[in-house]
Amino acid sequence: SCADNYSCYNPYAITTDVGQQVVWRNYDLNHHTVTSGTVDASTPKIFDSGQLTTYEYFRHTFDEAGTYNYYCTIHPWMEGIVVVE
């Protein structure tokens, strides 16, 4: 169970600079999303990949410093963090 050891997104947490683009790629056979926020918090969606099939990718450029949580809307136990400095 990847949620127990934070391995659903690999890596779980990354650090990047303002203005940098982050790319997620789905190497799994299941569909997934990369959606800003958390399943428990009602936050405005800053980014949302929609459903990604196997080998599809999603890119987002972070224009402001901060910590951005994200999760998969299909599998809400999948969570990750992007720290933008």
Side-chain angles (χ1 to χ4, degrees):
S1 133
C2 64
D4 294 336
N5 61 10
Y6 301 105
S7 67
C8 296
Y9 288 102
N10 186 15
Y12 165 73
I14 65 163
T15 301
T16 189
D17 295 321
V18 170
Q20 293 297 306
Q21 185 179 79
V22 175
V23 179
W24 290 264
R25 187 161 190 173
N26 181 12
Y27 289 107
D28 196 3
L29 296 177
N30 295 310
H31 292 194
H32 296 289
T33 74
V34 177
T35 305
S36 61
T38 65
V39 71
D40 298 327
S42 60
T43 57
K45 285 195 173 124
I46 298 167
F47 54 89
D48 185 4
S49 65
Q51 288 192 25
L52 299 174
T53 61
T54 305
Y55 299 120
E56 282 190 313
Y57 59 89
F58 170 68
R59 301 170 196 227
H60 181 76
T61 301
F62 290 87
D63 295 325
E64 294 185 27
T67 300
Y68 298 86
N69 294 298
Y70 64 92
Y71 70 106
C72 175
T73 59
I74 302 167
H75 309 99
W77 59 88
M78 295 178 62
E79 298 177 313
I81 298 173
V82 176
V83 178
V84 180
E85 300 178 331

